[in-house]
Amino acid sequence: MTADGAGIDPALSVDLVREPDFWLGTLQVRPSMCQVVRDGHSIDLQPKIMQVLVVLARAQGRAVSREELFAICWGGAFVGDDSVHRCIARLRRLAQEETPGAFSIVTQSKVGYRLVVDDLADVGTTLEEASDFDTAMPSERRAGAIRGHGFILGVAAMLLLGLIAAVVAFTRPTQSVYRIAVANFKVEGVGGEIGDSLADRVAAAVSDRHLPIVTRVRSSRGDFNGAHYIVGGDIQRIGDQTKVHIQLDDALSGLTLWTDTITRATSDSDALQDQVAEKVADLMDLTRRWLGPNGNSAKPEAIAALLTATDTMRGMPGTILQTREAFRRFRDLDPDSSKAHSGFAMATALSSFSQTPDTSAQWRTEAVAEARRAIALDPNNGEGYTVLGLLTSAKDLATRETWFSRGLAADPNDDNLPNFLGVFLLEVGRVGEAVIWIDRSVNLDPLSSPKAQSMIDALSTADRFSEADRLIARADRLWPDDVQMRRTILFRSLLYAQPAQALEVLDRFQHADKPLPVDRALIWRAFEKARAGEHSDAEVEKRLAAVSSNSDAGLSSLGADELGASIAALASLGDKEDAFRIIDLARTMHINVKPSVLFEPATRSLRSDPRFLRLASGLGLVQYWALARRKPDFCTQQSTSTVCS
């Protein structure tokens, strides 16, 4: 193992997105979702811990050394033994407390760790390594054969790792613009061990995003081994809250490039450390993607602007104007970067939707020019095509889809394009395909709150709320302060969770930042009572319709998510008259109503109404379905709609 880290052969590395599901006894392991499932109950694991579990399962009962784990899961980067110990400790807690009897992890003295299940033949039966075995073989012989096969694989892996290390030693460049040093965090009012633990988690999380080199530094000052960036900070306990201040410095110039502060209850120390670690890793990974091959020549000031842009981008839509200004500065400091132009174009396009008509038109023109400049600099810049698609007229949906398709052809690995295409498909009623594309986007960028929100929306629209609920549990842990995520969770739960669960979500929302006005919260509480059969539907319909009226406190104050939920709620109660009236009123007032609301389970009654065809035609959907020669998904189940005839 080297302190600098080494590349790893793709055959040995663990790409969670592409890992197949497998079983450990009665426990189903789902690497791509970082989940284990037993008896229908799912448990989330951190990506690094899931990688370690996959490596141990692949070994088929053979002991795996710490060196192998470092090489395969951390790319050979030195992050300290604590990182491995933490992963093993978490897996043992999973085995002993959360899924007792499924498996255990044994420490093999002076060798490493072994994963043990009742029948070794059950381990990883869908993994590639196990595919050659005769399933008719008696279990005793089968287990012995697997152990022998695992030993051969282990020896081969060790020889291959040695060869890789030898080759990399001669071919690896001595410097990398992404070389990161992670220093201990200073502590005040808390135990010193949290500083070490947090630094280890940050180093592990950054390594998990496959950044080229990570150096773990055990002192707050000292030799950073030629690192370009230094991550550090301090941890304070104030009352029952713990506050972490994070700082990222440019090692050569000493310029502070980015800072942030994250605060959580002291009782949530473990979740706080994960949130900080994933935030740093996500930010560095996004920055690398934006800089690309220009990283070596980028000025520290440009990198600082980009870090601000990518950080605020995660907080959209509330920070979109800040994102736009940060990308403007990045573009001005790095005018030859295609990504700088497309980033500014995207932020400008998204900002334009909330401006006055004159400003909106001006910004849309500017965004189109910037997108075309980005494509001229790099024809494979998928984001440039995305912007052109977003700014295509809503009446020309076929052309919008064409721009998205061109972008995917130019850059099939872009993580944003599948999300935008998926949202588009939701809005034209192709819900099944939408789920597939958004799922791809989430897998490519698992720490994006907006993409997770899209997935929760898509699964709910596809009548798969139980799956959306699993994402909601993960979102509560990763983005507790994201108001827009909380609103997505709230209104999806109000429509599709069981009434008791929905009321719990509503109570939590009302006790957090930016709650609903009291009168609206009472109406939604009454709606849940109606769903549970404890209130009159007619009374709730009347109260919902009254809020969604043409007044200052009516439609314009709801927001697109609550407006859509109100329409869906009325339709679910059988009040088609008010549902259509509110949609027409919103369109008259130029208030955005997401077209996807028309294809949800709750609005099924609207689709069989003659007024649906008129509405779909006014939204450009009928023309799109004709040009694309694709009818919406609901036509396969609901032939009574005039659209489907």
Side-chain angles (χ1 to χ4, degrees), residues 265-328:
T266 300
S267 58
D268 291 337
S269 175
D270 192 60
L272 172 63
Q273 293 180 62
D274 286 345
Q275 186 180 354
V276 171
E278 296 295 349
K279 176 74 178 281
V280 173
D282 185 44
L283 193 65
M284 294 306 303
D285 189 30
L286 285 172
T287 301
R288 174 183 59 171
R289 289 190 234 169
W290 284 102
L291 288 174
N294 299 322
N296 285 308
S297 59
K299 302 174 184 177
E301 295 83 359
I303 295 173
L306 178 57
L307 285 163
T308 300
T310 53
D311 187 21
T312 57
M313 182 173 64
R314 285 306 200 203
M316 290 194 293
T319 57
I320 184 60
L321 292 177
Q322 292 174 259
T323 304
R324 179 175 183 266
E325 289 309 307
F327 268 118
R328 182 202 295 278

Side-chain angles (χ1 to χ4, degrees), residues 513-595:
D513 185 35
K514 298 183 179 179
L516 296 179
V518 174
D519 60 334
R520 296 219 296 269
L522 289 173
I523 292 172
W524 283 112
R525 183 173 294 279
F527 173 69
E528 293 307 317
K529 295 289 186 181
R531 290 181 65 209
E534 300 174 18
H535 258 25
S536 162
D537 287 3
E539 178 61 27
V540 176
E541 290 168 27
K542 182 178 178 181
R543 294 172 69 181
L544 272 170
V547 171
S548 308
S549 60
N550 187 6
S551 66
D552 292 340
L555 291 185
S556 59
S557 69
L558 295 183
D561 47 12
E562 189 172 6
L563 176 57
S566 299
I567 293 166
L570 286 165
S572 71
L573 295 172
D575 188 354
K576 295 190 292 184
E577 294 299 323
D578 279 315
F580 277 115
R581 177 184 62 78
I582 290 169
I583 294 172
D584 290 339
L585 182 59
R587 294 184 65 211
T588 301
M589 297 173 65
H590 303 289
I591 295 174
N592 179 42
V593 177
K594 295 180 180 179

Side-chain angles (χ1 to χ4, degrees), residues 364-383:
R364 289 164 69 91
T365 300
E366 186 176 13
V368 168
E370 291 288 334
R372 294 191 181 281
R373 173 63 176 158
I375 294 171
L377 287 168
D378 179 8
N380 293 321
N381 184 335
E383 187 174 46

Side-chain angles (χ1 to χ4, degrees), residues 99-258:
T99 60
F103 71 97
S104 60
I105 294 177
V106 177
T107 300
Q108 195 82 25
S109 180
K110 298 182 180 180
V111 180
Y113 305 98
R114 280 194 308 120
L115 186 146
V116 178
V117 293
D118 292 339
D119 180 357
L120 287 176
D122 287 337
V123 179
T125 53
T126 64
L127 293 177
E128 186 175 350
E129 290 87 341
S131 62
D132 296 330
F133 288 93
D134 183 359
T135 56
M137 193 184 298
S139 61
E140 293 84 0
R141 289 179 55 207
R142 211 159 107 218
I146 291 174
R147 282 193 290 270
H149 186 61
F151 175 76
I152 293 170
L153 279 176
V155 172
M158 292 174 69
L159 290 173
L160 184 55
L161 286 173
L163 177 61
I164 291 169
V167 172
V168 171
F170 287 100
T171 60
R172 185 176 59 238
T174 58
Q175 296 270 326
S176 167
V177 72
Y178 304 111
R179 187 182 180 111
I180 302 163
V182 182
N184 280 359
F185 283 70
K186 301 175 184 178
V187 297
E188 180 181 333
V190 292
E193 66 278 359
I194 192 175
D196 283 345
S197 174
L198 179 56
D200 278 341
R201 293 196 192 196
V202 170
V206 171
S207 175
D208 191 39
R209 302 307 287 267
H210 304 294
L211 287 158
I213 300 173
V214 179
T215 301
R216 170 74 170 88
V217 181
R218 286 245 171 230
S219 62
S220 58
R221 299 183 62 183
D223 181 11
F224 293 111
N225 299 321
H228 285 74
Y229 303 115
I230 303 169
V231 179
D234 57 76
I235 308 170
Q236 292 180 299
R237 180 171 179 177
I238 304 172
D240 60 354
Q241 300 285 306
T242 297
K243 179 171 69 174
V244 177
H245 173 75
I246 323 161
Q247 183 168 312
L248 178 67
D249 294 333
D250 180 78
L252 299 179
S253 67
L255 177 69
T256 296
L257 303 174
W258 170 79

Side-chain angles (χ1 to χ4, degrees), residues 6-18:
I8 194 73
D9 187 276
L12 295 175
S13 64
V14 180
D15 184 350
L16 294 177
V17 173
R18 294 175 175 81

Side-chain angles (χ1 to χ4, degrees), residues 483-498:
V483 175
Q484 191 55 47
M485 172 60 83
R486 290 208 307 269
R487 287 181 66 91
T488 296
I489 292 171
L490 172 66
F491 292 114
R492 286 301 167 189
S493 298
L494 288 171
L495 287 172
Y496 300 116
Q498 292 298 315

